[in-house]
Amino acid sequence: MGIFDGIETEHLRDVYNELWAGRISPEKIVKTYWKHGDKSKDSENSFQLNFADQNIDRMNITKADKNKIYLGLNSFFKPLATDFERKYQDVCFASGNEYKEIMKLHSSSLCALLMFSSVSNDNPLVLELNVRGVRVNFKFTKVLFEYENKVINPNHPSSVDVVLVGENLITYKKAILFLESKFSEYLTITNQFKRLGAGYLDKPYCDEYYNDGFLKDLDIRFLRNTDNTLSVFSHEDKDGKKTSSYGFETISGKQTYLEGVKQLISHYIGITNFIRGNIVDKRKDALTPGDAEIYLGEILFDFKFEDAQNKLMTYTSYYQGLAKKLNNLRPNINVLDDVLKYSLFKKGNSNYLISDEIRKFYRLD
């Protein structure tokens, strides 16, 4: 029996076996500890990197461990970025508690940080992207992580995983690409999403995005009661705080990563506020719209096993439909026509440099 064969969730078991079975030494990893009061235990779905030499207590990871985690990541992956520590800090400590998750093998934040952190003037990332039916070449020389935009409530901004800053090589204008990154999240599929905040059904959001006409074209409709009123769902977090939300479902009954659809709309709203000068990110001096061309897209890790390929294909079709709808709303926000895939970093696909350790970890060598 392989070390990962006991993982309970099938698609995560397939991810671990595809990328790391037989390729990572058992002493380099340990089960993630799920900390949840009296129910705390070793996770049945997650392994993390074992930085034993850093004396990190996996059962009680705290912010005080930030330097130990950085040293462990730096030693293990040998990233080429000269400012890797600052970018690591942005990912793990800008908001939330990502420092508790960053050592997981299947961490989406870890993947984005490792792949994009080396973008610089000396190591540009050159991409040819499909935008509004036209192939456009870009050269990106700067990267920011976890950039916050106001969506509805300024106290709960939307964090975009990666922001690339560079130049459109055709128009020679400054270009800013907001990029949502997913590793294995899109493999969790459903035909219903029940966490649409009430604020999204207020004007102007309900006029532009969350209305029956806009959603119908995406094969989506609101969840409703038998009397046609919107269904309301109650939630309670681990601290006992209760919230209410609305929901939507696919009309066809297809299952896909519906949270990704909602998240992309949220980022679009956030970028609209960014362009209007409503900037909330604490690094506001580092990024301003000016006369830059603004782009929004999504990058997914494209696994080779059949189930992942099928789910990627289904989600891509929903993304493409949404991109087309959003591109009809405003001329100054350009949504990429297609999702990007992490295989673009495969050795030989570009001149952009990342360490051999990173490529081997994600089987892009």
Side-chain angles (χ1 to χ4, degrees), residues 230-334:
L230 295 177
S231 300
V232 179
F233 303 93
S234 298
H235 312 279
E236 184 175 333
D237 63 20
K238 62 181 180 180
D239 298 322
K241 182 179 179 181
K242 295 181 179 180
T243 57
S244 298
S245 65
Y246 298 103
F248 53 79
E249 64 182 349
T250 60
I251 298 172
S252 65
K254 286 183 181 178
Q255 293 191 328
T256 192
Y257 181 57
L258 283 179
E259 185 174 357
V261 174
K262 182 264 179 187
Q263 195 168 39
L264 201 68
I265 294 174
S266 294
H267 286 326
Y268 189 90
I269 296 170
I271 293 170
T272 300
N273 286 321
F274 169 78
I275 291 174
R276 292 170 178 169
N278 193 348
I279 299 175
V280 298
D281 192 275
K282 296 179 178 63
R283 299 161 294 178
K284 61 179 68 176
D285 293 337
L287 187 66
T288 55
D291 61 350
E293 297 174 357
I294 306 297
Y295 299 86
L296 170 63
E298 188 162 14
I299 185 167
L300 309 174
F301 200 97
D302 41 330
F303 304 97
K304 295 179 181 178
F305 60 94
E306 184 178 0
D307 180 59
Q309 288 289 309
N310 291 336
K311 289 175 179 176
L312 176 62
M313 187 182 304
T314 300
Y315 180 71
T316 296
S317 68
Y318 280 89
Y319 170 92
Q320 291 170 338
L322 178 57
K324 186 175 181 179
K325 294 284 292 184
L326 293 174
N327 278 334
N328 286 333
L329 293 180
R330 292 181 184 85
N332 59 348
I333 303 178
N334 304 283

Side-chain angles (χ1 to χ4, degrees), residues 21 62 64-66 72 87 94 113 164 244 257 265 291 296-297 335:
T62 70
D65 294 316
K66 65 180 181 180
K87 291 169 179 173
L113 172 65
L164 296 170
S244 298
Y257 181 57
I265 294 174
D291 61 350
L296 170 63
V335 184

Side-chain angles (χ1 to χ4, degrees), residues 127-173:
L127 297 175
E128 185 181 51
L129 305 176
N130 205 24
V131 184
R132 298 180 185 267
V134 178
R135 298 296 289 179
V136 184
N137 293 306
F138 298 89
K139 181 172 76 172
F140 296 107
T141 55
K142 180 179 179 179
V143 62
L144 295 172
F145 293 95
E146 297 298 322
Y147 190 85
E148 295 184 340
N149 285 318
K150 174 184 178 290
V151 181
I152 298 176
N153 186 339
N155 295 321
H156 299 283
S158 170
S159 292
V160 185
D161 296 315
V162 178
V163 181
L164 296 170
V165 183
E167 180 184 30
N168 181 327
L169 295 178
I170 296 176
T171 64
Y172 297 106
K173 292 189 67 174

